[in-house]
Amino acid sequence: MNYTLQHIISTLDIKNQENFPDFNVDNISIDSRSLQNNSGTLFFALKGNNHDGHQFIEQLIKKGVAFFVVEYIPNHLKNKAHFIVVKNTLKALQKTAIYYRNLFQFPTIGITGSNGKTIVKEWLNFLLSPNFNIVRSPKSYNSQVGVPLSIFGINENHNLGIFEAGISQKGEMEKLQEIIQPTIGVFTHLSSAHDESFANLDEKIKEKTALFKKCEVVLLEKNAEVEKYISSPIITWSFDNNKADYFLSKNTKSNKLTEIEITGKNLDFKVSIPFNDEASIKNATTCIIAMLYLKYEIKDIQERIQQLYPIELRLQAKKGINNCLLIDDSYSSDYQSLQIALDFLEQQKLHSKKTIILSDVFQGGLPLNELYQKVASAIQNNKIDRVIAIGETISGYLNELPNVISFPNTNDFLKQFNLNSFENETILIKGARNFYFDEIVVVLEEKNHETVLEINLDALSHNLNFYKSKLSPKTKIMVMVKAFGYGNGGYEIAKLLEHNNVDYLGVAFADEGISLRKAGIKIPIMVLNPENSSFHAMIAYDLEPEIYSLTGLEAFLKVAKQQNITSYPIHLKVDTGMHRLGFESHELPELKKLLKNNNFIEVKSVFSHLAASDDITFKEFTELQFNRFEKFYNELISVLQKKPIRHILNTSGIFNYPHYQMEMARLGIGLYGAGNSDNENKNLQNVSTLKSIISQIRTVENGESIGYSRKYLVKEKMKVATIPIGYADGIRRGWGNGVGYILIHNQKAPILGNICMDMLMVDVTSINCNPGDEVIIFGEQLTVNEIAEKTNTISYEILTGISQRVKRVFYKN
Ligand SMILES: *Cc1c(COP(=O)(O)O)cnc(C)c1O
C-alpha cells in the first residue's frame, strides 16, 4: 500500500510549521537497531519509563534515516533531518496506525484474554491459512506499541487479519479497539488473579471486553461475569454449563490425545485434539468455535485440529554441535517473523560466520517474486554467509544470491548434507511448521543432561534500562560481566549489552576479555586484575588495564615502551576505604611523577569502589570515601593533559547514591536481577531460572532413610523424587536437610537429607507429578535472594557458583 508522509501528517496534531517534502513511507520503525530500509523509514522516537528513542536519532541520521516523529528536536540536530514535532509520539504512532488500518476493509479477528492469546492467534493462522491471505501480529506484539506495529504489516492482498490485544491499565483497550477494529472477537481466558492496575475483577473484565465494542460476534467460554459486559452478539461454549451454545464433553484417549464431543446448533461431532492439558484443550476449542463460525466443514475441522502443534513463544539460542550456536525458530516462516529472527541472530551471533536454514516463506498476499525479493534483501542486509533453502518454492527464487544451497525437503537435507560440516558458526533455523525443522534442531543441538539455566534477555534489557533511568543520559555506563557474566553467560550477555549501546564492559582477568574479543565484542573492555604477565596479550586484544599500584604502572609502562605504543588507555584505581586494591594518597607524588608528560599511556578514567553502598546506615563512611576520591582526583589531574572521567558507583551505589554518578557508573548484580535490597528488587525482572526434571519417583516406607549418612529418617510412608542436580552443579549443601526446597508445578517440594554431588531428593508426597516433569531450582517465584538469605550468603555467590556444566539457554520473548 502506498502512503505518503503527507497522508500521515494530515492525521497528526503537529506543533512545528516546517514544510515537509513528501515521500513514500516504506517502513515505520521505533527500534533503532532493526532497520531494513533506512531512506524509506519514518522513525517514531518513543519515550518509555526507562527508555528514550530521542537518544538514538543522531545514530539513525548517520544510517540514512531522514524523517522523525519526535516530542522535541535534540539541540544539535536541528537542521540535520526532518522533524515532525508532536505532543506525544506514542499517540502519534497510534493515530498513524488508525489511519493505515482504515485503508483496508476485511474481516479481522481480535483476540484478548489473560492467557492463550498468542497460541490461539498462531493456531488460527495455521488452521485458516489454507483459505485466507492472513496478516497477523508477529510474536506477541499485543501492546500499545506492538499493535500499531502489527497493523503496518497489512498489505492490499490480505483478506483476513488476526491480531492480539493485551492491556496492563485502564483506558488502553479503547485505543487498541480503534486500531484493530475487530469484526470477530475472541476472548480466550479470564484469570481471576488480582491485578494491581485494576480496582477489582469487574473493572478488569469491563476494560478487556472494550475490544469487542463493534464486533459482529464474540466467541467465548460461557461466563456470566464476562457476558454482561459484552453488548455484541455472542457465541458461547462450555464443558460444564449446558446452556452454552456449544456444550462439550471430553474423553482423554492417551497421554497425548483428547477426544472432545461437541453438541449444539444442530450439530453433534467429535474432534481429536493432540494435547491433554486443560489450557491447550480450551485454546483448541476456541479455534474450533471460530472455524464453525467461519462455516468450515466438520471434516476439515477434524482433520486440521489433529495437526495442531505446540508453539514456542520465544526465540531461543542453544548450544549446537561443533561449537555452533543455534537459533531455533522452527515453527513459523513469514516475512515479519523472519525480520525479527534476523535481528535476534545479529544480536546473538557468537561467530562472525552466519548461516540460515530457511524453508519456503508463507506470507498471505504478496506475489511470490515480490515476497522473495524482500526475503533476499533481508538476507543480504544482514550479511548472511550461507543460505540453506529447503522447499520446492524457495529454491527457485533465491538462486540469484551467492552461497545458496537448496534442497526440495527437510528429509533430503538431513540425508544428503554433511551435518558435521557445521562448525563455529551461528545458525538460524527458521521454517514453517510443515517442514518439521524441529528435527534439524534435534540433530544439531549439543546433547546435554536435562538441567538448564535459562536466561531471559528481555529481563536483562529491562534491568539495564531501569538503572539507566536512575542516571543522567550523559553518564556513561560500564557493565561488569566478570565471572562469566555473574554466572549467566559471557559473550551472549556481552553481545546484548553491546547492542544496547553500553559504553564499557568490565571483566576480572585478561582471559575473560580475550574470549569476548574472540567472540567479536568491539566495545571498550576494562580488566580489573591485569597480571603483569598478561600485558602483551592485553595490548594485542585492545583490553584496557586497571592500574592500582606503582609497580603495576611501571611494569605496564615498560611493555608500552618496548612496543612503542602511544596513548594506551588505562584506568587508575584509588583506594578510598575498601582496602582491597588501589593507590593511596601517600603514593600521589610518585604517581604524578610517572604520569607527567607521559605519552605512552592515557589515563581514561580514575575510579574507586564503595565498601558499603548497599547499606545506608554507612552513609557517612560512603561520603567519606567520596570525599577522599575527589581530593585524590583533583590533585592528580594537575599533571594530566586530558581530564579523565570519574566513577565510583556500583549497582547499589546507583540506587542509593545517584548524586555521586559523576561521568560513569559500573553496573553489576542489578543487571542480573538480584539486587541488594527489596526496594531495588521491586523494580527488577528475574533474569535466570535454573530448571531440571524429575529422574525417578519412589515410595519409601516408615523407618527407612534417604540419602547419605541417613540424614533424613522417614516417619511416615512418603513419595520421594530424585532430581539430577547437586552440589557439583552449584547447589549449596547448606540448602539441604530441611532448609531448602524446589518448586514442582508451583508447589514446594522440601529437599530431603544431604544434597549429593550430582543429585538431590525431594518430598513429593502431596504433589501430583511424574518422572520427566520440570522442576524449578530458582527463578521468579523462588528467588536467588531467598536461597542466599537462608544459606547465609549473597546472591553473587549463588549465581557465580552455577557450574559450567549446566547448559545455558538464552531467550527473548
Ligand atoms: C564487581 C564490581 C562492580 C559491580 O558491583 P555490583 O555490586 O555487582 O554492582 C563494580 N565495580 C567493581 C570494581 C567491581 O569489582
Side-chain angles (χ1 to χ4, degrees):
M1 172 60 61
N2 269 349
Y3 63 115
T4 66
L5 189 67
Q6 291 305 331
H7 289 126
I8 294 178
I9 283 179
S10 66
T11 69
L12 303 179
D13 304 320
I14 295 191
K15 289 168 114 187
N16 53 336
Q17 294 301 319
E18 192 184 333
N19 275 331
F20 297 99
D22 206 12
F23 82 111
N24 272 337
V25 181
D26 276 344
N27 180 27
I28 299 243
S29 174
I30 57 151
D31 185 341
S32 58
R33 299 165 310 196
S34 52
L35 283 181
Q36 307 284 341
N37 170 358
N38 300 344
S39 60
T41 291
L42 177 63
F43 185 87
F44 284 74
L46 300 186
K47 266 169 106 173
N49 285 342
N50 302 324
H51 174 91
D52 185 354
H54 295 79
Q55 282 176 29
F56 298 95
I57 293 175
E58 185 165 10
Q59 206 177 314
L60 287 163
I61 293 176
K62 287 194 190 126
K63 285 191 183 174
V65 180
F67 290 89
F68 296 87
V69 178
V70 295
E71 292 179 15
Y72 59 86
I73 305 176
N75 256 335
H76 54 300
L77 300 175
K78 276 224 158 71
N79 296 314
K80 303 241 161 80
H82 297 286
F83 294 99
I84 298 158
V85 185
V86 297
K87 202 155 146 224
N88 180 318
T89 41
L90 174 63
K91 288 214 168 100
L93 179 74
Q94 293 172 339
K95 276 191 190 150
T96 307
I98 293 172
Y99 163 78
Y100 190 68
R101 173 70 183 88
N102 280 322
L103 300 175
F104 304 92
Q105 293 293 331
F106 54 71
T108 298
I109 304 178
I111 306 172
T112 192
S114 309
N115 306 92
K117 296 185 286 290
T118 305
I119 307 267
V120 168
K121 180 200 70 197
E122 291 297 321
W123 278 355
L124 281 176
N125 176 62
F126 168 78
L127 296 164
L128 308 180
S129 60
N131 314 88
F132 293 93
N133 285 332
I134 298 174
V135 53
R136 71 190 199 279
S137 338
K139 295 276 159 198
S140 301
Y141 278 30
N142 61 27
S143 65
Q144 296 291 301
V145 176
V147 169
L149 293 179
S150 306
I151 290 292
F152 296 120
I154 306 178
N155 68 44
E156 51 272 75
N157 295 310
H158 290 127
N159 56 16
L160 180 68
I162 311 179
F163 297 104
E164 53 180 293
I167 51 166
S168 51
Q169 310 177 25
K170 251 179 98 166
E172 291 186 340
M173 192 60 95
E174 204 180 328
K175 265 269 116 59
L176 300 185
Q177 189 279 333
E178 275 186 83
I179 303 172
I180 300 175
Q181 300 173 23
T183 47
I184 301 172
V186 170
F187 193 83
T188 53
H189 170 265
L190 177 70
S191 125
S192 53
H194 177 63
D195 196 330
E196 279 181 20
S197 337
F198 301 98
N200 50 46
L201 191 61
D202 261 344
E203 188 181 287
K204 183 159 115 181
I205 299 173
K206 198 167 156 190
E207 177 69 28
K208 290 196 189 246
T209 51
L211 179 66
F212 307 135
K213 206 162 69 183
K214 294 184 181 159
C215 286
E216 65 188 36
V217 68
V218 179
L219 316 176
L220 77 162
E221 183 175 4
K222 188 149 190 63
N223 182 335
E225 293 297 308
V226 179
E227 287 166 39
K228 71 178 182 216
Y229 289 106
I230 304 179
S231 53
S232 311
I234 56 173
I235 296 178
T236 59
W237 54 272
S238 178
F239 280 96
D240 40 48
N241 184 339
N242 60 15
K243 298 222 172 63
D245 297 306
Y246 294 102
F247 182 63
L248 302 96
S249 59
K250 71 174 167 232
N251 178 6
T252 302
K253 282 267 174 172
S254 70
N255 67 356
K256 283 270 147 63
L257 202 66
T258 308
E259 186 183 77
I260 59 172
E261 179 167 357
I262 302 173
T263 29
K265 303 218 178 212
N266 299 323
L267 289 172
D268 184 347
F269 65 103
K270 288 181 178 158
V271 183
S272 289
I273 299 175
F275 295 96
N276 68 359
D277 64 290
E278 193 174 341
S280 302
I281 292 170
K282 289 192 166 182
N283 290 333
T285 303
T286 301
C287 294
I288 295 170
I289 305 302
M291 291 179 89
L292 285 170
Y293 179 74
L294 292 168
K295 304 213 164 40
Y296 271 80
E297 305 238 346
I298 305 291
K299 72 169 191 355
D300 288 340
I301 296 178
Q302 287 163 329
E303 213 178 278
R304 289 188 196 170
I305 290 286
Q306 264 188 42
Q307 297 166 15
L308 287 182
Y309 53 91
I311 288 200
E312 188 56 67
L313 293 177
R314 51 199 203 189
L315 283 165
Q316 291 196 345
K318 299 173 172 170
K319 274 222 156 82
I321 55 168
N322 302 332
N323 197 28
C324 288
L325 184 76
L326 309 181
I327 294 175
D328 176 3
D329 196 0
S330 55
Y331 84 92
S332 73
S333 173
D334 51 276
Y335 178 65
Q336 267 177 306
S337 70
L338 174 65
Q339 281 179 304
I340 296 174
L342 285 169
D343 278 348
F344 189 67
L345 171 71
E346 190 51 36
Q347 272 178 46
Q348 281 301 306
K349 63 165 201 256
L350 157 62
H351 312 282
S352 54
K353 182 167 177 198
K354 292 181 284 185
T355 296
I356 172 170
I357 305 177
L358 183 64
S359 77
D360 286 349
V361 178
F362 295 91
Q363 181 84 26
L366 284 184
L368 288 177
N369 55 352
E370 217 172 286
L371 171 63
Y372 282 103
Q373 215 158 28
K374 283 177 130 190
V375 170
S377 59
I379 289 173
Q380 278 176 319
N381 287 343
N382 283 277
K383 304 203 166 60
I384 305 294
D385 298 277
R386 177 162 60 154
V387 181
I388 296 173
I390 299 180
E392 301 284 350
T393 317
I394 188 168
S395 31
Y397 285 97
L398 292 188
N399 281 339
E400 310 270 291
L401 293 180
N403 308 328
V404 178
I405 313 167
S406 47
F407 296 89
N409 56 54
T410 307
N411 243 338
D412 282 8
F413 163 71
L414 287 171
K415 269 199 231 131
Q416 292 162 18
F417 193 82
N418 174 11
L419 297 168
N420 246 320
S421 68
F422 286 115
E423 201 177 9
N424 297 321
E425 58 200 290
T426 307
I427 310 171
L428 169 61
I429 301 168
K430 176 134 189 80
R433 174 63 191 170
N434 49 352
F435 282 84
Y436 295 100
F437 276 14
D438 43 343
E439 291 174 12
I440 303 178
V441 175
V442 169
V443 293
L444 293 183
E445 197 173 358
E446 188 180 63
K447 305 300 173 282
N448 228 307
H449 61 144
E450 306 289 346
T451 299
V452 292
L453 184 66
E454 287 191 347
I455 291 115
N456 180 344
L457 296 174
D458 291 327
L460 214 77
S461 300
H462 168 94
N463 296 343
L464 174 66
N465 285 331
F466 169 70
Y467 287 99
K468 273 192 181 167
S469 77
K470 296 261 141 196
L471 299 169
S472 139
K474 279 191 297 229
T475 306
K476 291 184 193 304
I477 197 152
M478 173 185 286
V479 177
M480 308 312 287
V481 294
K482 59 196 184 197
F484 197 57
Y486 286 47
N488 289 281
Y491 71 84
E492 297 89 348
I493 289 184
K495 275 259 134 133
L496 181 84
L497 295 169
E498 185 171 66
H499 207 75
N500 277 295
N501 295 321
V502 311
D503 301 278
Y504 260 97
L505 296 177
V507 297
F509 297 100
D511 316 2
E512 294 177 326
I514 292 171
S515 52
L516 292 180
R517 284 283 183 254
K518 285 188 171 159
I521 301 291
K522 304 232 159 48
I523 55 177
I525 299 176
M526 179 176 91
V527 179
L528 295 168
N529 294 284
E531 286 141 342
N532 294 2
S533 57
S534 67
F535 285 153
H536 282 282
M538 288 186 55
I539 293 170
Y541 284 95
D542 212 356
L543 303 171
E544 306 176 12
E546 162 188 324
I547 300 290
Y548 53 81
S549 68
L550 292 168
T551 48
L553 181 57
E554 282 160 353
F556 189 77
L557 283 171
K558 205 168 131 198
V559 176
K561 276 180 205 163
Q562 270 169 12
Q563 299 203 12
N564 200 20
I565 44 176
T566 49
S567 305
Y568 198 86
I570 66 164
H571 304 265
L572 298 181
K573 171 76 145 304
V574 187
D575 181 9
T576 55
M578 176 82 178
H579 300 322
R580 188 171 67 176
L581 291 178
F583 288 99
E584 296 178 19
S585 49
H586 67 82
E587 293 170 303
L588 252 171
E590 190 65 22
L591 177 63
K592 281 161 70 175
K593 231 196 277 165
L594 283 171
L595 293 176
K596 190 162 183 180
N597 296 327
N598 189 325
N599 291 324
F600 292 104
I601 46 146
E602 178 183 336
V603 180
K604 271 275 162 204
S605 83
V606 180
F607 73 106
S608 188
H609 195 47
L610 297 174
S613 63
D614 56 329
D615 188 341
I616 36 181
T617 56
F618 291 119
K619 188 160 170 253
E620 257 173 65
F621 183 75
T622 300
E623 279 163 2
L624 176 68
Q625 278 199 281
F626 179 72
N627 292 336
R628 286 173 173 166
F629 177 73
E630 280 285 83
K631 190 151 172 276
F632 189 102
Y633 179 84
N634 290 334
E635 283 194 37
L636 178 75
I637 51 172
S638 63
V639 295
L640 300 176
Q641 288 137 18
K642 279 192 198 157
K643 244 177 146 183
I645 63 169
R646 304 164 299 161
H647 44 115
I648 196 164
L649 300 181
N650 62 346
T651 298
S652 299
I654 299 173
F655 192 73
N656 291 325
Y657 301 97
H659 48 289
Y660 292 155
Q661 61 187 271
M662 302 180 280
E663 291 81 38
M664 185 153 83
R666 301 185 305 271
L667 177 62
I669 194 77
L671 179 79
Y672 307 99
N676 289 316
S677 75
D678 291 345
N679 248 342
E680 202 171 328
N681 291 328
K682 267 203 322 239
N683 298 290
L684 304 180
Q685 288 180 2
N686 182 62
V687 170
S688 354
T689 303
L690 182 58
K691 288 181 171 175
S692 191
I693 56 155
I694 298 177
S695 301
Q696 200 179 23
I697 297 180
R698 70 186 70 249
T699 305
V700 183
E701 299 291 335
N702 176 19
E704 293 290 318
S705 62
I706 291 168
Y708 283 122
S709 313
R710 305 204 65 193
K711 270 286 157 69
Y712 186 86
L713 294 173
V714 179
K715 293 186 199 71
E716 206 178 321
K717 182 170 150 178
M718 68 193 302
K719 206 167 72 171
V720 176
T722 302
I723 316 297
I725 185 169
Y727 59 76
D729 299 290
I731 312 304
R732 304 165 63 84
R733 275 179 96 248
W735 190 230
N737 285 316
V739 177
Y741 64 96
I742 63 172
L743 291 174
I744 305 179
H745 304 315
N746 261 327
Q747 296 164 71
K748 289 186 183 182
I751 298 174
L752 301 169
N754 283 321
I755 290 176
C756 313
M757 186 187 292
D758 312 301
M759 280 172 270
L760 55 83
M761 282 75 84
V762 294
D763 180 359
V764 291
T765 310
S766 58
I767 301 177
N768 185 4
C769 57
N770 297 303
D773 286 2
E774 179 180 283
V775 309
I776 307 280
I777 318 294
F778 61 67
E780 187 161 350
Q781 308 299 329
L782 164 50
T783 63
V784 171
N785 274 318
E786 176 179 343
I787 299 178
E789 209 168 288
K790 292 186 182 153
T791 53
N792 296 318
T793 179
I794 51 175
S795 56
Y796 301 65
E797 190 179 6
I798 307 247
L799 280 176
T800 55
I802 303 302
S803 136
Q804 283 304 308
R805 81 177 185 192
V806 173
K807 173 171 163 177
R808 269 73 173 171
V809 170
F810 301 85
Y811 69 92
K812 270 173 90 76
N813 281 325

